[in-house]
Amino acid sequence: MKIETREALQNLRAGARKEIDSCDCRILVCSGTGCIATGSNKIYERLLEIAKDAPGVTLEFKPCGGGEGHEHYLGVKKTGCQGICELGPLVRIQKGSKTIQYIKVQPEDCEEIFERSVLGNEVLEHLLYQQKGKTYETPEEIPFIAKQTRIALANCGKLDAESLEEY
């Protein structure tokens, strides 16, 4: 891919945004070193396996584009560090503008996440960050992240770490 003008870059960006937005749901598995060390690769593989075999689901390995005859268009993606390494493995469920941040996800949690949060619209409270009796659903609400102003890393953990187009 050769980008020679600012307009070409802007067109590429608009196309990538359109592809990302076409997903009904994006399952974002942290692949930062901290999460890999706590087993995120197993989580990623298990979620791929579950999604691949689910009836009525189109699993996209590239950005989503949809397909006829299926109810759900999913993207299962590896992201860069999501910013709270000590709570890994981390999984974000992104549906439109809504994001759920799950922490300390284990392989045995994957079926429940897929059935209840991906195909359904439930939030699994037992996998959310909790502090002093308060539960935090989105990553931006978690106190450690809420105190940060991310500039260079604003999209870290939100995009497919293996896709130049998404970046």
Side-chain angles (χ1 to χ4, degrees), residues 46-67:
R46 182 69 185 123
L47 286 166
L48 276 180
E49 183 181 310
I50 293 167
K52 180 182 65 147
D53 295 333
V57 170
T58 298
L59 179 63
E60 298 291 344
F61 292 96
K62 295 180 181 176
C64 294

Side-chain angles (χ1 to χ4, degrees), residues 84 87 98-103 122-144 146:
I84 42 178
L87 301 175
K98 182 178 179 175
T99 302
I100 303 167
Q101 178 73 66
Y102 290 133
I103 65 167
E122 292 182 55
V123 175
L124 306 175
E125 236 179 269
H126 66 281
L127 292 173
L128 297 176
Y129 181 76
Q130 297 178 22
Q131 183 181 57
K132 297 179 183 175
K134 184 168 178 173
T135 301
Y136 300 90
E137 185 175 317
T138 69
E140 291 79 16
E141 294 172 334
I142 296 172
F144 177 75

Side-chain angles (χ1 to χ4, degrees), residues 25 93 95 100 102 112-124:
C25 180
I93 305 300
K95 289 183 169 185
I100 303 167
Y102 290 133
E112 183 180 24
I113 290 170
F114 191 81
E115 292 294 324
R116 294 177 61 192
S117 292
V118 174
L119 297 181
N121 288 311
E122 292 182 55
V123 175
L124 306 175

Side-chain angles (χ1 to χ4, degrees), residues 1 3 6-21 155 164-167:
M1 168 185 347
I3 302 170
R6 183 172 191 226
E7 183 179 351
L9 178 62
Q10 290 172 332
N11 289 337
L12 180 65
R13 180 178 188 241
R17 174 53 48 201
K18 183 178 177 185
E19 290 293 326
I20 290 169
D21 291 344
N155 291 319
L164 182 59
E165 288 81 9
E166 283 200 23
Y167 276 101

